[in-house]
Amino acid sequence: MANPRVLVTRPAHQAPGQAELLASLGLEPVQLPLLEITPIAESDPAFPQLKSRIMDLDLYHSVIFISANAVAAGMDLIDQYWPQLPIGIQWLAIGRQTAVKLKEYGITAIQSPAGYDSEALLSLPQLQQVTEHRVLIMRGEGGRETLAEQLSQRGARVEYADLYRRSLPPYTSGQISSTIGDKPFAAVLLTSGEAVNNLTRLITENNLRELQRATLVVPSERVARIATELGYTRVIIASGPDNQAMAETVLSTIDMDDRT
């Protein structure tokens, strides 16, 4: 029997790690990144404001990193302008992977044990009494507004450092068909609502109806809700967005299918 195929959709710099784990578990990973991460360049009109936020880093009570991508892009800039990290900042991270990435830069960040999203972070006691606190959110351009809205309602002064842009890679129909092939997928791994939207766009533009019926493995109820609203009928929520949690969910799904 052929190994079950799994579609890996993480950005190109993150997909190989997930694919390697899946292959070690006897699965056949197929990489099709659905998000392209492009850092804001110095020549970009948005860069002066971003630089200003980084230069003012010591003025913030709290700095929140939204993702591991935000850590990579943000710490690259911080290292340029801050040979030594300013003291007295409360560093926070959404999700374990983000916190682990910050640890690589010598930063021990607070994360929520309650989950991997903005709502979980907002439940932390450290973010309840924030009146007049200045908060900097390190993120990709155009992300969710929930975190800033809730902190502002609690009295915080919230600003963004938009570090990168996300987009759907410019695939040709030939690239799509050669990657997808004609074999079914046991699962499609999607780690964000934006990835779900981009998958739907590819399905529509390339008539990939078999993917509409595939089992989607997603990291949260919010992403599952987005997928369901877009017409996907087989959506399974993993215990987290990290590679191990997603892989374990795929294995349990395949085992379940084998027993039916």
Side-chain angles (χ1 to χ4, degrees):
M1 287 180 60
N3 293 342
R5 299 174 81 218
V6 178
L7 190 63
V8 175
T9 67
R10 286 193 188 278
H13 63 287
Q14 296 172 321
Q18 189 171 59
E20 182 178 346
L21 175 60
L22 293 169
S24 73
L25 297 172
L27 303 170
E28 180 187 342
V30 176
Q31 298 183 45
L32 185 70
L34 292 181
L35 287 176
E36 188 169 68
I37 305 297
T38 306
I40 301 296
E42 291 189 18
S43 58
D44 194 291
F47 187 80
Q49 184 182 69
L50 171 59
K51 179 180 177 181
S52 175
R53 298 281 194 265
I54 300 300
M55 295 292 288
D56 289 343
L57 197 65
D58 59 335
L59 302 180
Y60 294 97
H61 293 83
S62 300
V63 176
I64 302 173
F65 286 85
I66 295 297
S67 66
N69 286 320
V71 174
M75 293 308 300
D76 181 59
L77 281 176
I78 290 172
D79 284 346
Q80 289 183 45
Y81 298 110
W82 290 91
Q84 291 186 328
L85 288 174
I87 61 174
I89 293 176
Q90 177 175 253
W91 304 91
L92 300 104
I94 291 185
R96 187 181 67 84
Q97 285 181 295
T98 307
V100 169
K101 189 71 175 177
L102 279 168
K103 194 71 174 177
E104 296 176 8
Y105 294 90
I107 294 175
T108 300
I110 301 166
Q111 59 173 312
S112 173
Y116 303 86
D117 55 17
S118 298
E119 289 79 3
L121 196 76
L122 286 164
S123 70
L124 286 170
Q126 291 89 342
L127 292 181
Q128 303 310 305
Q129 304 297 326
V130 292
T131 302
E132 292 303 315
H133 284 201
R134 291 190 67 180
V135 178
L136 183 64
I137 298 178
M138 309 282 275
R139 66 169 194 170
E141 191 176 77
R144 295 180 68 203
E145 301 293 333
T146 303
L147 190 57
E149 289 174 354
Q150 290 295 317
L151 290 175
S152 296
Q153 289 177 16
R154 296 174 187 179
R157 298 165 56 198
V158 183
E159 294 174 322
Y160 288 120
D162 290 334
L163 299 158
Y164 56 88
R165 295 190 176 98
R166 297 177 297 270
S167 60
L168 175 64
Y171 293 116
T172 66
S173 57
Q175 288 174 314
I176 295 296
S177 60
S178 64
T179 301
I180 298 297
D182 56 3
K183 300 176 186 176
F185 285 96
V188 177
L189 308 188
L190 298 159
T191 54
S192 69
E194 193 166 4
V196 176
N197 288 326
N198 286 346
L199 176 67
T200 305
R201 177 177 163 186
L202 284 184
I203 288 173
T204 301
E205 293 177 352
N206 296 274
N207 196 30
L208 301 171
R209 296 303 170 192
E210 66 278 7
L211 284 182
Q212 189 82 39
R213 298 185 292 271
T215 298
L216 305 190
V217 177
V218 302
S220 68
E221 291 184 7
R222 184 184 67 85
V223 179
R225 184 167 59 254
I226 292 171
T228 301
E229 290 173 353
L230 287 171
Y232 298 93
T233 57
R234 302 195 66 188
V235 183
I236 298 175
I237 302 173
S239 60
D242 59 283
N243 290 342
Q244 188 67 41
M246 300 288 275
E248 288 174 356
T249 301
V250 171
L251 287 177
S252 66
T253 301
I254 293 172
D255 290 343
M256 188 189 331
D257 288 346
D258 288 344
R259 290 195 297 266
T260 59

